[in-house]
Amino acid sequence: MDLNKHTKTVLIIIVLALSLFLNLFQLGKYPLFDWDEATYAHVADNTLRNSDWLAFKKLDKDWFEKPPFYIWSMMLSFKVFGVSEFNARLPSALSGVIITVLLFLLVLELSNNYWLALFASLILLFTPPFLTLGRQARVDIPVITAILFSLYSFIRGQLKEKWLLGFGAGIGIGVMIKSVIGLFAIPLALIFSLLYRKWDWIKNKYFWFSLALMILIIAPWHIYELYRFGGQFWDNYFNFHVLRRITTAMGHAAGLSVYLNNLYVGVRPWSIVFVILLPIMLFTGFKKMQNDQRAAWFGLAGALLIFVTFSIPKTKLWPYLLPIFPFSAIFISAALFFVFQRVFRTGARYPLILISIIILAMGFRTTLNEAIIDPYRDIPQVFDERDVGILLESRPLPEEVYICCWVTQETLIYYGRRKLINVTNTNEFPINKNHFFIIPTQYLNDLFNSTPFYKTAKIAYNGKFLTLFQVE
């Protein structure tokens, strides 16, 4: 298909405008919640207050969980626009916008078909978990942006060799956002080379320059942190948050069956379309592949690579699978085009258009509801956590805040800017000094029965999920 520059520009503007709306509309309406959102926002805000951008702080302790680029982007957003939920999420949301445009350009390079590129971008944009998690303050979407940029630069560099510099730069940025995850661009580039039989890059000086650029991006911060903080940095940053996640189930880790269930249930209608198209594409084989068919195999191989890789570690968290979605979108769009244009041949255009409109409408409706209208349906307690935190921040005295029987505390820490002292039962309550105390509302009767002293304490906040006492 001959490319029309005017049409290409119009389609990119459509993708950009729709992505901006879906990613930014009511972005700051809801509280930041546990774990990642409130943690990153607290670290960014706290570090900004300490004025040392090379020493991240959580409360009064050094924090080494993630590389600096995403926290820096959030700190910059806070510094320029102010501290708020919207500005905390802005770097991730803008990354989601960039991804949809990058995917359009990437599929265009793979297939030379701008309608296929548009379809792939819309599929990704109307994938509920992609937009839901992309509208949160997380590192997952920004690192996917870096991976796609690296991959696009690599593919673009097959014709314009200077673009190969972007390959190493994208990897370096990805590593500086989410550590080893940024390296995914390397096997994905090899998959492209195998399918499209492109290997000239091995002898190209710009490719090797790009690897040097990658090292220049990655090395300085890591060397500085290791020099400044020594083994404490490496043990926490790499040994604990990379190696331990591979060998030990951490946090609310899921099993492989949960992975598969979330992919099928949470990604509908695209998961259903994927399952239908997969056997059809396998039946067609690999012979005499056209560009759209190669693109389908590339998308499938990329999605499988990511799924298998994240199925190996003991820690299996749902957001880990986010990098699958751009590649599954490539597979679905390219496979649909292949099926209708190559298999059915005659009269394929109108059925393809009709089916595409129906599927996209279903995806848009689901995405709008889950990502924008009701994203907190499973965690309504976050509103109590925010309100309690805001109240604590407004009342600096008394200083000590005790909490019992409540696991998720990052939102409380972010909004309250206070250290929480955990106790395991009511016998540990301090009686002879002023303090705040937080307890699940459902345990109020048990509290009063076991510790009558609290019948005379002042209830500063009483919500559906949390109750805050002030003892004077």
Side-chain angles (χ1 to χ4, degrees):
M1 180 182 294
D2 293 330
L3 294 179
N4 182 302
K5 289 185 177 180
H6 176 71
T7 304
K8 174 184 174 182
T9 302
V10 171
L11 293 180
I12 289 178
I13 291 174
I14 291 173
V15 170
L16 180 61
L18 187 58
S19 185
L20 280 169
F21 170 74
L22 290 176
N23 277 283
L24 299 181
F25 180 68
Q26 293 188 341
L27 185 64
K29 181 179 179 181
Y30 299 103
L32 302 174
F33 71 97
D34 302 275
W35 294 89
D36 291 354
E37 279 207 302
T39 300
Y40 298 156
H42 169 75
V43 170
D45 181 33
N46 201 32
T47 306
L48 194 60
R49 290 167 179 267
N50 292 329
S51 301
D52 187 347
W53 288 51
L54 293 174
F56 294 155
K57 294 283 187 180
K58 181 179 179 182
L59 294 172
D60 57 349
K61 295 182 179 179
D62 294 320
W63 187 84
F64 305 112
E65 286 190 19
K66 291 291 184 290
F69 274 17
Y70 183 71
I71 301 298
W72 282 345
S73 71
M74 191 181 291
M75 290 171 65
L76 184 62
S77 179
F78 284 166
K79 189 174 182 64
V80 174
F81 303 112
V83 178
S84 69
E85 290 87 350
F86 185 97
N87 296 328
R89 293 172 175 138
L90 186 60
S92 181
L94 290 179
S95 295
V97 174
I98 295 171
I99 286 176
T100 54
V101 177
L102 271 177
L103 185 64
F104 179 95
L105 298 172
L106 177 62
V107 175
L108 199 56
E109 292 292 326
L110 292 172
S111 66
N112 202 38
N113 184 326
Y114 50 79
W115 294 106
L116 196 159
L118 174 66
F119 194 34
S121 298
L122 293 179
I123 288 173
L124 179 63
L125 195 55
F126 298 161
T127 298
F130 172 78
L131 192 64
T132 300
L133 296 175
R135 286 169 53 88
Q136 297 173 6
R138 312 178 66 91
V139 297
D140 306 280
I141 296 298
V143 77
I144 297 172
T145 308
I147 292 170
L148 285 190
F149 172 76
S150 179
L151 190 57
Y152 173 72
S153 298
F154 179 82
I155 296 172
R156 183 76 169 157
Q158 306 307 311
L159 295 177
K160 296 184 178 182
E161 59 181 7
K162 289 185 179 180
W163 270 94
L164 288 172
L165 292 172
F167 177 67
I171 294 173
I173 293 169
V175 170
M176 291 296 286
I177 293 173
K178 200 179 179 184
S179 188
V180 296
I181 307 303
L183 300 175
F184 261 104
I186 297 174
L188 290 168
L190 293 175
I191 290 173
F192 166 82
S193 297
L194 285 169
L195 285 172
Y196 287 81
R197 299 175 184 176
K198 303 282 187 180
W199 297 98
D200 292 343
W201 52 269
I202 296 178
K203 301 177 182 179
N204 194 298
K205 63 181 180 180
Y206 288 103
F207 170 76
W208 297 103
F209 287 160
S210 79
L211 297 186
L213 181 59
M214 174 190 72
I215 294 172
L216 285 175
I217 293 172
I218 295 173
W221 179 82
H222 286 83
I223 293 172
Y224 174 83
E225 295 295 302
L226 189 60
Y227 170 79
R228 180 172 176 177
F229 297 103
Q232 177 191 4
F233 163 72
W234 196 250
D235 287 343
N236 195 289
Y237 171 76
F238 186 77
N239 292 339
F240 185 81
H241 286 286
V242 176
L243 294 182
R244 188 177 174 186
R245 289 175 187 267
I246 297 174
T247 59
T248 307
M250 297 175 61
H252 300 287
L256 186 59
S257 61
V258 176
Y259 263 3
L260 292 170
N261 181 71
N262 284 347
L263 280 175
Y264 183 74
V265 176
V267 192
R268 289 182 298 189
W270 307 118
S271 56
I272 298 173
V273 178
F274 187 99
V275 170
I276 293 173
L277 289 173
L278 182 58
I280 297 175
M281 292 302 295
L282 291 174
F283 180 77
T284 65
F286 293 89
K287 294 181 180 180
K288 299 180 180 179
M289 286 192 291
Q290 303 296 322
N291 275 349
D292 49 3
Q293 195 176 9
R294 289 181 192 274
W297 288 119
F298 174 74
L300 178 63
L304 289 176
L305 168 71
I306 294 164
F307 179 80
V308 171
T309 301
F310 285 112
S311 296
I312 294 173
K314 296 289 187 180
T315 300
K316 295 179 175 65
L317 302 176
W318 171 232
Y320 288 179
L321 296 184
L322 274 179
I324 286 178
F325 299 139
F327 298 96
S328 62
I330 295 173
F331 171 75
I332 292 170
S333 59
L336 274 176
F337 268 75
F338 171 77
V339 167
F340 280 96
Q341 294 184 0
R342 308 293 179 185
V343 177
F344 296 145
R345 295 183 183 277
T346 59
R349 177 179 298 179
Y350 295 109
L352 174 61
I353 293 174
L354 179 60
I355 290 175
S356 299
I357 291 174
I358 293 172
I359 295 175
L360 286 172
M362 293 169 59
F364 177 77
R365 180 181 178 183
T366 303
T367 297
L368 191 66
N369 181 64
E370 294 188 7
I372 299 177
I373 297 175
D374 190 21
Y376 283 8
R377 61 194 175 281
D378 295 327
I379 49 171
Q381 67 274 14
V382 72
F383 295 97
D384 273 7
E385 293 175 334
R386 176 196 60 187
D387 293 344
V388 170
I390 291 174
L391 194 151
L392 287 172
E393 199 275 336
S394 68
R395 300 184 185 181
L397 295 175
E399 293 183 355
E400 291 186 339
V401 182
Y402 292 82
I403 186 168
C404 179
C405 311
W406 195 258
V407 176
T408 55
Q409 300 177 9
E410 301 298 302
T411 299
L412 289 163
I413 292 173
Y414 168 71
Y415 285 102
R417 294 194 177 104
R418 305 283 284 273
K419 180 180 180 181
L420 303 178
I421 303 171
N422 282 278
V423 297
T424 57
N425 60 68
T426 56
N427 293 327
E428 301 177 50
F429 293 171
I431 295 178
N432 298 321
K433 61 180 179 179
N434 297 342
H435 66 279
F436 286 106
F437 191 84
I438 304 169
I439 193 170
T441 300
Q442 62 178 327
Y443 296 157
L444 279 180
N445 290 334
D446 293 338
L447 171 66
F448 291 149
N449 291 333
S450 60
T451 313
F453 165 76
Y454 275 89
K455 289 183 178 180
T456 61
K458 177 182 177 182
I459 294 182
Y461 178 89
N462 181 232
K464 181 178 180 181
F465 298 95
L466 287 177
T467 297
L468 172 69
F469 291 95
Q470 183 171 357
V471 181
E472 296 177 333

